[in-house]
Amino acid sequence: MSKIEHFLNDKLQERKDNLSIRNLSTNIPPFDFCSNDYLGFARSGELKNLIDNILATLPNYLNGAGGSRLLSGNTAFTEETEQFIADFHLAESGLIFNSGYDANVGLLSSIPQRGDTIITDELIHASIIDGCRLSHATRYKFRHNDINDLETKLKLSKGNIFVVVESVYSMDGDIAPLIEVSNLCERYQANLIVDEAHATGVFGANGSGLINQLNLTNKVFARIVTFGKALGVHGAIILGSKNLRHYLINFARSFIYTTAAPIHSIVAVRSAYQHLNNIDHQLIHQKIALFRNMLKEQNINALDSESAIQGILFSSNEATKLAATALQSKGFDVRAILGPTVALGKERLRICLHNFNTDEEIISLVNHLKELN
C-alpha cells in the first residue's frame, strides 16, 4: 500500500472507530422523514406536467448544456427566469448558480477583500465557511443567535463588514433573530447576507421566505435562495441589486468557470416557482404543530423549532445511530446527525416534516420516539 493510501485508510479508520463514518445507501425506508422536500415537489405529478408543458414550447437546440454562461451557455429564458424569481422575492435582480454550495462560495470568496471583515453565526452552512476561507478578509464567528456576541464582533470589525446568517438553520431548525441582526447591521453599517435555503417555500407569502415575511427586503445586501429543498429541483440564486449581479458575473469564480445548467433544469426551477401558487401553504405548518404538540405531550427531548426541521437529542454517536437504525427497521426514513457534523453532546436525529406525511405517520413516529428517548 502506498503512502497516500495508508493516509486515506488511517483517516477512514478514525471515523470508523468513533462511529462517525459516512456511507452512501440506496436502501430508503418508505416513510420519508429525512429529505428536504418539505412541500412534496420532488414527487409532484403536477410539477412534472408544468415542466413538460414548458419544455414542449422550447426549440430542440436548447435541450443540453453547451458551455459556461459567459460563452455559449446563456439563454434569454434563463435571464427571464432570474428576473421572474427576483420579482417573486421582491428583489431588484438575481443570478442563478448551479447549486447552493456554488452560490455561497462564489459570493463570499469574491466580494470581501483584504482589510474587510466577515462575521458568521457559528452554525452557518459549511459552504459559507468554505467561501469565507477563500476570501482574504478577517473572519469572526459569533455564538449562535447571540445578538450581544454579534455586537462584540462588530465593534472589532474594520473595512467593509459582512454579517452572514441563515434564516432557518439546517441542523437545529431554529430561526435567526433577523430583525435584531438587521438593526445591528444598520447601526454598524454592516452588510447583511442571509441564506434562505430552509425558509424558502415554508415561510412568507407563497413561500417567499422569512426576509419577505419580516419586511426586511431593503435591509439585506444579498440573499441566497436554493432550489433543492422545498422547491424539489436543483440550483440556487443570489438576490440583490443589479450592481451585485453584474459584479458576480465578473468576479465569482464558481459562476464564471463552470458549465451552465441545462435549460431543462432552468425550466424545472421556473415551474417550481409557478407551482408555489397551487398549494396550501398552511399545510406544512399544521404538520409541524401536530409533531411539536405530540413531542410536548410525550416529554421527548427535542430542540426548539418552528420550522420543518426538528431535532431529537441523544447523548452520543452510538446512541443516535442505534435510534436511527431502530426507526428505519420500522419503516421510518430518519437519519442520525453525528459529530463532527454537530458538536459533541449535540448528536441528534434530524427529522424533516413534509406535506405528504400523514397525521397517522407522524403520530406513529412520535410514539416510537418515546420508546427510544
Side-chain angles (χ1 to χ4, degrees), residues 271-322:
S271 301
Y273 268 92
Q274 292 175 347
H275 193 42
L276 283 172
N277 295 317
N278 302 332
I279 67 166
D280 176 4
H281 286 276
Q282 291 306 308
L283 182 57
I284 187 62
H285 295 282
Q286 293 168 11
K287 304 292 183 180
I288 295 166
L290 171 63
F291 185 78
R292 294 297 304 177
N293 289 337
M294 287 207 63
L295 290 182
K296 187 175 181 180
E297 288 175 7
Q298 300 284 10
N299 197 29
I300 292 172
N301 187 20
L303 295 169
D304 189 20
S305 168
E306 300 173 25
S307 75
I309 301 165
Q310 302 289 324
I312 309 300
L313 293 173
F314 287 82
S315 58
S316 67
N317 279 353
E318 183 178 13
T320 312
K321 288 185 75 171
L322 286 172

Side-chain angles (χ1 to χ4, degrees), residues 331-349:
F332 298 102
D333 189 6
V334 172
R335 307 298 174 92
I337 306 298
L338 310 172
T341 300
V342 294
L344 295 179
K346 295 289 187 178
E347 297 87 356
R348 81 281 306 264
L349 297 177

Side-chain angles (χ1 to χ4, degrees), residues 69-309:
R69 284 185 65 185
L70 285 167
L71 295 177
S72 58
N74 197 39
T75 68
F77 185 86
T78 301
E79 293 199 2
E80 290 165 5
T81 298
E82 286 171 332
Q83 193 56 52
F84 176 85
I85 297 170
D87 292 342
F88 176 87
H89 291 283
L90 304 180
E92 184 175 280
S93 192
L95 184 68
I96 287 177
F97 285 72
N98 286 356
S99 71
Y101 191 97
D102 287 337
N104 280 328
V105 167
L107 178 67
L108 273 301
S109 65
S110 66
I111 295 182
Q113 304 292 306
R114 194 179 305 277
D116 293 339
T117 306
I118 306 171
I119 309 173
T120 64
D121 188 287
E122 65 179 344
L123 299 187
I124 206 74
H125 271 133
S127 54
I128 292 174
I129 294 170
D130 289 353
C132 293
R133 286 172 175 166
L134 291 170
S135 166
H136 293 293
T138 300
R139 303 190 297 276
Y140 298 115
K141 62 182 178 181
F142 66 97
R143 289 189 295 273
H144 180 52
N145 281 348
D146 189 325
I147 293 298
N148 292 328
D149 195 37
L150 171 57
E151 184 164 21
T152 298
K153 302 304 190 296
L154 282 165
K155 290 175 179 178
L156 300 173
S157 301
K158 298 178 181 179
N160 289 317
I161 307 168
F162 301 89
V163 173
V164 194
V165 299
E166 297 175 40
S167 52
V168 175
Y169 282 88
S170 59
M171 286 297 127
D172 286 24
D174 57 345
I175 294 171
L178 290 169
I179 294 175
E180 293 90 337
V181 171
S182 172
N183 289 340
L184 265 186
C185 287
E186 196 165 27
R187 189 184 313 163
Y188 286 89
Q189 297 184 310
N191 301 283
L192 178 57
I193 297 173
V194 181
D195 188 324
E196 288 257 71
H198 295 278
T200 303
V202 178
F203 295 96
N206 287 332
S208 55
L210 274 166
I211 294 300
N212 287 80
Q213 180 173 309
L214 298 173
N215 297 314
L216 295 174
T217 52
N218 295 325
K219 304 285 189 178
V220 177
F221 169 68
R223 275 179 281 174
I224 304 95
V225 172
T226 58
F227 311 139
K229 274 68 176 181
L231 294 180
V233 287
H234 190 67
I237 192 168
I238 295 176
L239 301 171
S241 67
K242 291 180 180 177
N243 220 26
L244 172 61
R245 181 180 189 274
H246 200 209
Y247 181 94
L248 292 170
I249 289 169
N250 280 273
F251 293 100
R253 293 169 69 85
S254 59
F255 174 84
I256 298 166
Y257 299 111
T258 192
T259 299
I263 196 67
H264 54 76
S265 181
I266 305 301
V267 169
V269 171
R270 179 73 167 265
S271 301
Y273 268 92
Q274 292 175 347
H275 193 42
L276 283 172
N277 295 317
N278 302 332
I279 67 166
D280 176 4
H281 286 276
Q282 291 306 308
L283 182 57
I284 187 62
H285 295 282
Q286 293 168 11
K287 304 292 183 180
I288 295 166
L290 171 63
F291 185 78
R292 294 297 304 177
N293 289 337
M294 287 207 63
L295 290 182
K296 187 175 181 180
E297 288 175 7
Q298 300 284 10
N299 197 29
I300 292 172
N301 187 20
L303 295 169
D304 189 20
S305 168
E306 300 173 25
S307 75
I309 301 165

